[in-house]
Amino acid sequence: MNPLPPEVNTPELKPEKVGSLIKRFGIGAITGVAITGLYWSYTDWFGYAEPITTGIIGSLILAIFCGLLTLKWGYKILESLLGLLP
């Protein structure tokens, strides 16, 4: 079985700089922490006390998740995530 020939007009992907990737992940992680903080403030406002350990673990998980989403798909995903907030 022969491999398929390369596409004629396929653009080559340029490798991104490590600093740019770290910055993009960091901005996504900060957004995740902000979303978690907003959620946590709403739970306190409505009288549902979220335990501190659950809040911290949830914040870290959401921060890593948002950072990875931003790293993969760019800043447009942050706009979509922030559009879902109340």
Side-chain angles (χ1 to χ4, degrees):
M1 185 171 196
N2 294 332
L4 295 173
E7 295 291 325
V8 176
N9 292 325
T10 307
E12 292 186 26
L13 297 174
K14 296 179 183 177
E16 294 187 45
K17 295 179 182 176
V18 175
S20 137
L21 295 175
I22 291 172
K23 185 173 97 173
R24 191 182 316 163
F25 179 82
I27 290 172
I30 289 170
T31 303
V33 169
I35 291 171
T36 306
L38 185 65
Y39 168 75
W40 203 0
S41 70
Y42 279 146
T43 59
D44 189 37
W45 177 263
F46 290 114
Y48 174 72
E50 185 80 29
I52 188 82
T53 54
T54 305
I56 291 172
I57 291 170
S59 177
L60 289 174
I61 289 171
L62 190 63
I64 292 170
F65 182 71
C66 288
L68 291 175
L69 284 176
T70 307
L71 189 62
K72 174 94 174 141
W73 287 291
Y75 297 116
K76 282 289 191 184
I77 195 75
L78 291 179
E79 185 178 326
S80 300
L81 287 174
L82 293 176
L84 296 173
L85 290 177

